[in-house]
Amino acid sequence: MEPVEAMRNPVGSHVPVAGGLARTGLSYARELGAEAVQVFVANPRGWATPAGSPAQDEQFRAECAAEGISAWVHAPYLINFGSHTEATVERSVESLRHSLRRGREIGALGVVVHTGSATGGRPHGEALAQVRERMLPLLDELTDDGDPFLLLESTAGQGFSLCSRMEDLGPYFEALDFHPKLGVCLDTCHAFAAGHDLAAPQGMALALDLLVATVGEGRLKLIHANDSQDVVGAHKDRHANIGAGHIGEEPYRELMRCPATEGVPLIIETPGRKEGHAADVALLKKLR
């Protein structure tokens, strides 16, 4: 087998970590044959900012390095820098700063955060001004070579989403001065739900071209490879196993041939337990 770091698109999964990052998370990853892993470092549906276990952090870092597995962190879902509620914004700052710090401690290459929404009826421009005010200082704290990238993940377009389509990332990147530590995590289910017809002939390539045209080359750092239970443009975030949804298998083969995805890992966040995840990882490897 070729070394993971030489692979065009390492394939991996979000993994459970209750019981220890290395002990539980990497054991699960190995059973799937994962070449990359994504983890939570806090309850994804809460505001708690727990300290890690230095022993597990060290073991996780060392074993990832030894096995050529890249690690990624997903920040909690509650984070919203576009909120009209000050308490939510303050907690969002604290929560994201925690995820970035924990990302550094475990050797993660990037921390994924959802781009949020403009709540309380406020205009998008006002919400983006707040994104700039509160998120830019966090990016400016990422001064070390070992610090993770902050990866923006657009949504399926529900509610008053600040970013759902590729072109929406332009104003978001502008608000953050195209910061050098800013990148993108593309979720294929979200993009499809937002109206990019990835299942159409050349649909994946067109969407990726638009992403690069919007934010520039080299900003795409991670892909969440999730099929969609719903039709294109449904604005519903319901993941399906690869090939079992409305996107289908072939677009993922196309994705792994596009210039924009060179060297970018694919992480699945699909339904089912270990068997389903292992099948998705194996299918993506086959398509690669």
Side-chain angles (χ1 to χ4, degrees):
M1 191 173 90
E2 60 180 319
V4 173
E5 60 270 19
M7 285 178 186
R8 192 193 191 283
N9 298 102
V11 174
S13 176
H14 189 94
V15 298
V17 294
L21 280 168
R23 194 179 302 119
T24 307
L26 289 182
S27 296
Y28 191 94
R30 289 184 190 106
E31 289 184 52
L32 305 185
E35 301 154 347
V37 295
Q38 179 180 274
V39 298
F40 290 125
V41 289
N43 178 351
R45 292 181 172 82
W47 291 117
T49 53
S53 152
Q56 279 292 297
D57 290 355
E58 177 55 39
Q59 188 181 343
F60 182 84
R61 268 201 322 272
E63 292 181 14
C64 282
E67 296 171 41
I69 294 172
S70 66
W72 308 82
V73 168
H74 199 307
Y77 301 134
L78 297 180
I79 291 173
N80 183 15
F81 284 83
S83 174
H84 70 294
T85 306
E86 178 61 22
T88 297
V89 180
E90 287 181 3
R91 284 172 169 163
S92 295
V93 170
E94 184 184 354
S95 179
L96 186 54
R97 181 176 275 126
H98 170 262
S99 285
L100 288 164
R101 187 185 77 241
R102 292 289 296 123
R104 180 191 307 120
E105 289 168 356
I106 68 171
L109 299 183
V111 172
V112 178
V113 66
H114 289 170
T115 45
S117 55
T119 63
R122 60 173 13 184
H124 270 211
E126 194 179 301
L128 282 174
Q130 182 172 280
V131 167
R132 176 183 178 83
E133 180 193 348
R134 308 306 284 270
M135 200 184 268
L136 201 51
L138 295 178
L139 282 160
D140 284 338
E141 289 171 13
L142 304 175
T143 55
D144 192 84
D145 286 347
D147 286 338
F149 282 87
L150 178 60
L151 307 183
L152 302 178
E153 180 181 2
S154 56
T155 66
Q158 323 91 308
F160 301 97
S161 169
L162 287 173
C163 277
S164 56
R165 293 184 58 83
M166 303 295 178
E167 53 268 35
D168 297 338
L169 285 162
Y172 214 104
F173 264 73
E174 285 168 15
L176 296 171
D177 293 343
F178 282 81
H179 196 283
K181 292 299 276 189
L182 193 63
V184 172
C185 171
L186 170 66
D187 186 307
T188 55
C189 175
H190 295 182
F192 190 71
H196 295 286
D197 192 354
L198 308 181
Q202 293 299 301
M204 187 70 80
L206 286 169
L208 286 162
D209 286 349
L210 180 54
L211 175 63
V212 172
T214 302
V215 301
E217 292 182 1
R219 295 286 187 170
L220 178 61
K221 304 291 186 186
L222 187 66
I223 293 163
H224 286 165
N226 301 308
D227 210 326
S228 173
Q229 292 185 37
D230 300 285
V231 296
V232 63
H235 301 301
K236 289 182 179 175
D237 182 13
R238 298 200 306 160
H239 299 182
N241 296 94
I242 305 298
H246 287 274
I247 298 175
E249 282 183 29
E250 198 54 38
Y252 291 96
R253 192 194 304 274
E254 185 184 328
L255 179 146
M256 290 187 272
R257 281 159 177 67
C258 291
T261 66
E262 177 73 51
V264 178
L266 275 61
I267 293 284
I268 58 157
E269 302 171 318
T270 49
R273 299 185 185 279
K274 198 176 290 177
E275 294 73 22
H277 296 160
D280 282 337
V281 167
L283 176 55
L284 286 170
K285 286 181 178 179
K286 188 183 88 173
L287 293 170
R288 177 177 69 189

